């Protein structure tokens, strides 16, 4: 099939490359011309495992190209995926739909023939009819343009895998959708034939699927982090407790790692967006718990700052602190709402000299936080430090020998915010070892 993907960020670029991998002819479209140049050279403008390989393979095969032109995109295919960003509105909890409506407004007047617009961006429930109305009002093909809602559940750092082998496919349609379902089933036929559960539903259910899933994942994390607070007050070990709970298949251990909490471009914003939308719909009370989920999550960051201050005798001014990790989670260079950087910045504001290291996210961190110091090497970053904080659990950090580090540090104190360092090994190497939620 021929198809386009409008918006080539983490979601769209991955979707475009994966659709080419499925054998389709794909045109990716993004208004950022620099991004288009990078993508057309067969590289990703961000770090995502396996994506560079797919982009190189399919830009070379000619199945995948990128453009900044809406006219080209409209003329290229009659199936258009939209994967533009829908961030949180500044100072508000609601989604900012500017990019989505701008994309629809740009595309619509160029749709002269029947077409299907499949939206993947995460939105407040009730957006699909607005998109349809805009398209029908401005597209020359009018109601021959159909809207499908096809939420994307990919995790960063597993994005290619999750797109090619998703847990489920959700396809949301209006009552009148003769072409849309046929085209999407054809587009995803390999994935459907491989057995991915495929749920065909209405627009509202498809729209809610993504934000509800992310709100649940966030709730699971904040639940175990709330229990971590009780562990801190009682001397229990939240890591062991999570293992014990996780053996119950109804609970499950996955997605329940206690620690510094969640960040990134999705969980925090989807939690807040869902809460805001439920409020608008008069159903805010039903989701009041989500406000608490957010509060618990932010309290983890504060707890880490308090522990650091305590460790430094109550005053952080002039102290040297090393932070391992800048990305919001391992495996990505994404620093959106990164818990690690939020803590690092706060410690800097409290007077500490903070040196941050990360295997992938330093360039992004430098741009956003020029006030912090940076080091490429996690071992060198510990030179003369008063305190080491482990805030993003890159696997390579837990392989570093603490004995090797001890000689470099001015003061051998470490706080593990992610629960993946071996406490005994660090203590044996002479470190004062503390961890969130653990004795
Ligand atoms: C998430 C959803 O998992 C994905 O389905 C959706 O499409 C987009 O949002 P992502 O943001 O890539 O994906 O990351 P995820 O792996 O879910 O982690 C989100 C945050 O939660 C990270 O900051 C991570 O460190 C934290 N987290 C995750 C925990 O603190 N504990 C966990 O058990 C899991």
């Amino acid at each position: 099939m021929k198809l386009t993907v409008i918006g080539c960020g983490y979601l769209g670029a991955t979707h475009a490359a994966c659709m080419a991998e499925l054998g389709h002819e794909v045109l990716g479209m993004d208004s950022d011309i620099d991004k288009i140049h990078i993508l057309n050279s067969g590289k990703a403008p961000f770090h995502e495992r396996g994506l560079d390989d797919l982009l190189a393979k399919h830009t070379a095969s000619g199945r995948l190209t990128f453009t900044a032109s809406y006219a080209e995109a409209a003329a290229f295919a009659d199936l258009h995926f939209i994967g533009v960003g829908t961030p949180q509105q500044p100072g508000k909890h609601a989604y900012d739909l500017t990019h989505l409506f701008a994309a629809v407004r740009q595309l619509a007047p160029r749709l002269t023939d029947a077409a299907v617009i499949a939206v993947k961006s995460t939105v407040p429930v009730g957006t699909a009819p607005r998109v349809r109305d805009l398209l029908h009002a401005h597209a020359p093909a009018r109601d021959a343009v159909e809207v499908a809602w096809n939420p994307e559940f990919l995790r960063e750092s597993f994005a290619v895998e999750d797109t090619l082998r998703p847990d489920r496919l959700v396809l949301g349609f209006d009552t009148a959708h003769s072409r849309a379902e046929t085209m999407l089933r054809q587009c995803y036929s390999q994935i459907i034939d491989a057995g991915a559960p495929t749920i065909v539903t209405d627009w509202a259910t498809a729209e809610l699927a993504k934000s509800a899933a992310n709100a649940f994942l966030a709730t699971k994390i904040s639940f175990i982090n709330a229990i971590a607070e009780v562990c801190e007050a009682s001397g229990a070990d939240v890591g062991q407790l999570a293992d014990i709970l996780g053996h119950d298949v109804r609970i499950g251990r996955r997605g329940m790692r206690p620690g510094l909490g969640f960040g990134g471009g999705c969980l925090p914003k989807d939690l807040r967006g869902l809460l805001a939308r439920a409020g608008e719909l008069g159903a805010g009370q039903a989701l009041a718990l989500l406000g608490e989920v957010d509060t618990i999550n932010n309290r983890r960051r504060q707890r880490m700052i308090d522990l650091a201050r305590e460790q430094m005798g109550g005053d952080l001014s002039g102290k040297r602190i090393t932070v391992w990790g800048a990305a919001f989670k391992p495996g990505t260079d994404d620093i959106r709402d990164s818990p690690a950087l939020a803590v690092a910045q706060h410690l800097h504001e409290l007077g500490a000299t903070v040196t941050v290291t990360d295997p992938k996210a330093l360039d992004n961190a430098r741009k956003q936080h020029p006030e912090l110091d940076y080091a490429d090497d996690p071992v060198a970053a510990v030179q003369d430090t008063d305190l080491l904080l482990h805030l993003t659990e890159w696997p390579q950090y837990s392989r570093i020998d603490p004995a090797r580090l001890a000689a470099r540090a001015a003061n051998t104190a470490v706080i593990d915010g992610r629960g993946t360092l071996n406490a005994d090994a660090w203590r044996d190497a002479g470190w004062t070892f503390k961890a969130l939620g653990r004795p």
Side-chain angles (χ1 to χ4, degrees):
M1 291 175 83
K2 290 185 91 172
L3 59 92
T4 78
V5 180
I6 295 170
C8 291
Y10 289 94
L11 189 170
T14 307
H15 189 67
C18 289
M19 292 304 103
E21 177 71 3
L22 291 180
H24 302 308
E25 261 184 69
V26 183
L27 179 65
M29 190 269 148
D30 198 290
S31 43
D32 181 341
I33 194 80
D34 294 335
K35 204 184 268 182
I36 292 302
H37 287 316
I38 299 171
L39 287 163
N40 271 330
S41 74
K43 294 202 189 78
F46 47 84
H47 174 73
E48 182 63 52
R49 194 187 348 213
L51 184 57
D52 277 336
D53 292 344
L54 280 191
L55 288 167
K57 179 175 166 190
H58 294 298
T59 48
S61 73
R63 267 210 313 260
L64 178 61
T65 44
F66 293 91
T67 179
S69 155
Y70 274 101
E72 252 181 73
F76 184 81
D78 48 11
L79 174 58
H80 304 280
F81 286 96
I82 299 188
V84 294
T86 51
Q88 189 177 331
Q89 278 182 39
K92 290 192 182 157
H93 276 182
Y95 290 99
D96 177 353
L97 300 177
T98 316
H99 300 303
L100 175 63
F101 288 127
V104 172
R105 279 207 173 84
Q106 289 285 337
L107 193 60
R110 300 175 164 99
L111 298 174
T112 45
D113 297 317
V116 172
I117 311 298
V119 184
K120 300 192 80 63
S121 308
T122 306
V123 295
V125 57
T127 303
R130 296 174 64 194
V131 169
R132 179 213 39 212
D133 291 348
L134 257 180
L135 286 164
H136 288 186
H138 299 288
R142 306 192 72 83
D143 59 5
V145 180
E146 290 181 24
V147 174
W149 224 263
N150 175 215
E152 180 56 66
F153 300 97
L154 63 79
R155 296 160 298 166
E156 284 174 35
S157 85
F158 297 95
V160 169
E161 171 73 18
D162 285 351
T163 305
L164 292 174
R165 278 170 286 279
D167 291 338
R168 74 290 214 193
L169 271 180
V170 177
L171 308 176
F173 302 110
D174 192 13
T175 37
H177 65 275
S178 49
R179 270 167 71 80
E181 185 172 352
T182 313
M183 287 188 83
L184 284 178
R185 281 186 178 276
Q186 193 186 338
C187 174
Y188 290 129
S189 61
Q190 285 182 53
I191 292 172
I192 296 171
D193 292 348
T198 302
I199 297 102
V200 173
T201 184
D202 54 82
W203 278 341
T205 308
E207 288 170 319
L208 265 177
K210 175 65 185 287
S211 40
N214 277 353
F216 184 87
L217 293 170
T219 303
K220 195 169 177 184
I221 298 166
S222 275
F223 174 80
I224 200 65
N225 283 336
I227 295 292
E229 291 188 27
V230 182
C231 287
E232 280 155 12
S234 61
D237 183 324
V238 74
Q240 285 194 318
L241 201 49
D243 290 340
I244 294 166
L245 298 184
H247 284 297
D248 183 331
V249 291
R250 294 169 303 173
I251 298 175
R253 183 65 170 84
R254 287 183 68 194
M256 201 173 59
R257 294 189 309 278
L260 191 57
F262 57 82
C266 287
L267 260 50
K269 138 195 123 158
D270 288 346
L271 184 72
R272 293 167 198 154
L274 179 57
L275 188 57
R277 185 62 183 142
E280 285 168 12
L281 294 167
Q285 212 182 349
L287 293 183
L289 91 152
L290 296 186
E292 199 54 37
V293 167
D294 205 8
T295 305
I296 292 165
N297 193 51
N298 288 325
R299 213 155 55 215
R300 290 286 79 190
R301 301 177 186 193
Q302 187 57 48
R303 171 75 180 149
M304 178 53 77
I305 292 155
D306 292 346
L307 270 179
R309 191 178 3 216
E310 213 175 90
Q311 196 64 42
M312 293 292 94
D315 184 10
L316 286 163
S317 53
K319 299 293 185 201
R320 289 166 176 270
I321 298 183
T322 303
V323 168
W324 275 358
F328 84 96
K329 68 172 189 180
T332 178
D333 61 358
D334 191 350
I335 58 163
R336 286 177 293 173
D337 201 358
S338 161
L341 279 179
V343 168
Q345 186 204 4
H346 205 129
L347 294 171
H348 167 83
E349 280 164 12
L350 292 172
T353 302
V354 184
T355 301
V356 179
T357 183
D358 191 282
K360 297 284 179 202
L362 282 194
D363 287 348
N364 288 339
R366 270 194 194 98
K367 279 180 219 145
Q368 192 172 313
H369 291 286
E371 73 280 11
L372 302 174
D373 293 337
Y374 294 95
D376 291 324
D377 175 28
V379 173
V382 170
Q383 194 64 43
D384 301 327
T385 199
D386 293 309
L387 176 64
L388 169 61
L389 304 181
H390 175 237
L391 304 187
T392 309
E393 68 278 32
W394 287 93
Q396 48 269 55
Y397 294 158
S398 49
R399 292 196 292 264
I400 295 174
D401 177 8
R404 207 178 130 211
L405 290 181
R408 288 183 175 257
N411 177 38
T412 46
V414 59
I415 307 176
D416 183 4
R418 293 294 179 178
T420 56
L421 300 182
N422 180 336
D424 291 340
W426 284 76
R427 287 192 179 117
D428 289 350
W431 290 78
T432 305
F433 185 95
K434 290 199 182 311
L436 290 179
R438 288 161 166 95

